Amino acid sequence: MARDSTTHNLTRHWQALDAAHHIHPFSDAAALIREGVRVITRADGVYLWDSEGKLLIDGMSGLWCVQVGYGNRELAEAGCEALKTLPYYNHFFKTTNPWTVELAAKLAQILPEEHERVLFANSGSEANDSALKLIRYYWNLKGRPEKKIHLSRDYAYHGVTMAAASLSGLSPMHPQWDLPLPGFEKVPAPYWFAAKTAGYGDIGPEEFGLLIAERLEEKIREIGAHRIASFSAEPVQGAGGLIFPPATYWPEVQRICREYDVLLHLDEVITGFGRTGEWFGADTYAIAPDIMTMAKGLSSGYQPISAVSLGSRMAEAIMSANEELVHGFTYSGHPVAAAVALKNLEVLEKYGLVPRVKHTIGPYLQRRLRETFESHPIVGEVRGSGMLAAIELVPDKRVRRFFPRDSDVGTRCRNYCFENGLVMRAIRDTMVLAPPLVASESEIEEIISRAKDAIDRTARDLGVI
Ligand code: PXG
């Protein structure tokens, strides 16, 4: 009893400090202070514990990043070792360190063909910001300075720096900051489930994929290919609602980028490092990008680290520029982060976690989700591949239509998930799962049964069951 009240007092203490001094990302400060934050104190495997001792199963790998699960000792020890040996040094003054070069070389082995060189940064946003700078630099080096417009898609999430937020296509990300900056243009996303609502009528996914790719071509023609620098895209759109492209989409986009000499930038921040059953989304969808960005699963989120890789075309131009590359962060290729990332890649490889996603646990998750939810009265679609899945909540499963924007069905369902001890993300009314790649079948069952209860309760509130 005494212990319970101590625990409770500690929670109150941390909540008060948080309310007084901490600014939270993507949160309404006043609402958060009213409701009180949850204090996460410990994690192991696929489980999190809060300061009140409540156990949560994490269906989201943190923020789509903890590939190897929490509490991996090999990663912790690799980080400790580097901390003790070389806690910091940079790469600015003709210097390097063993962990960073080993990591760069390891990445060159697993990255798509022709991606032999990487530049490090500390977050997905920084990687994307750096990628856009490298793209601009490339065209300047090629004597094509008029190629400066960056294309990307509606529902895209590429991060929060001025450039990465401009590249993002989620409209709430712009007005507070007077974004997008000039030179950023959007094209539609291959969001087939939303096609009807968006006025495309009763179109099949294959045809829709081609139609949406065609919109990219039209946009390039409208602006003029001579002014378009790049097209940026996530192989599967993550934070925008887990949008899986129809099979026809990527081959056509690849053709268009080649035909109009537009650099293809793949943002693999979510799809990288086994999430879709291959090392990268580029492998899963057979895409050959000119430039790629990665973060999250690179270190399983244990350390902040990201990277930009260059295909041979960009690498050759930039590496032979014969002038200083005027870019880099204090912490680019930080030895501790690099040591942890290197060990993370070793662990992914040693335990066969990527093929596990492709051949066993990924198909298991997908099959069980479909068996459980496809016939559910408020589920319009279950989609996914590998360890990425979405359950689209809808008012009428016979038609592809959404709940009204202000009905907050997804938030309600997410709150029930929390009550049930499950972390599951709601993006609008799309319920999203991205469990750690190490999750066992019984842990997947636990996630599914808690999600089922939450979705049933939501349906009951709506008077549907
Ligand atoms: N690209 C993609 C595809 C991402 O998903 C970023 C870039 C930016 O990475 P950093 O490390 O700067 O955050 C992301 C990040 C969510 C959520 O709620 C998703 C992200 C970040 C925060 C929240 O789904 N993705």
Side-chain angles (χ1 to χ4, degrees), residues 63-64 123-125 128 157-159 234 239 267 269-270 296 425:
L63 278 177
W64 323 76
S123 67
S125 302
N128 284 331
Y157 187 87
H158 296 293
E234 305 149 79
D267 179 340
V269 169
I270 284 181
K296 295 189 189 279
R425 177 113 162 55

Side-chain angles (χ1 to χ4, degrees), residues 25-26 60 62-64 122-128 156-161 164 168 233-240 267-271 293 295-296 305-306 425-427 432:
F26 285 85
M60 277 307 296
L63 278 177
W64 323 76
N122 310 289
S123 67
S125 302
E126 282 182 8
N128 284 331
Y157 187 87
H158 296 293
V160 294
T161 58
S168 297
E234 305 149 79
V236 175
Q237 290 178 252
D267 179 340
E268 295 259 14
V269 169
I270 284 181
T271 46
T293 45
K296 295 189 189 279
I305 184 166
S306 62
R425 177 113 162 55
I427 300 172
V432 170

Side-chain angles (χ1 to χ4, degrees), residues 83-160:
L83 260 177
K84 286 188 272 187
T85 317
L86 184 70
Y88 175 73
Y89 205 69
N90 62 72
H91 305 273
F92 280 56
F93 310 124
K94 298 185 183 168
T95 55
T96 193
N97 72 66
W99 298 279
T100 308
V101 289
E102 297 280 356
L103 177 61
K106 182 72 206 166
L107 282 171
Q109 258 179 29
I110 63 171
L111 280 163
E113 216 176 315
E114 293 190 6
H115 283 241
E116 299 280 341
R117 288 193 183 270
V118 296
L119 172 146
F120 291 109
N122 310 289
S123 67
S125 302
E126 282 182 8
N128 284 331
D129 213 294
S130 303
L132 294 186
K133 287 177 78 178
L134 292 169
I135 287 165
R136 295 164 86 85
Y137 184 37
Y138 172 82
W139 288 122
N140 287 343
L141 285 170
K142 288 286 170 189
R144 308 280 306 273
E146 71 288 358
K147 266 173 106 66
K148 285 290 153 55
I149 291 176
H150 302 288
L151 299 179
S152 57
R153 301 179 294 182
D154 299 334
Y155 297 106
Y157 187 87
H158 296 293
V160 294

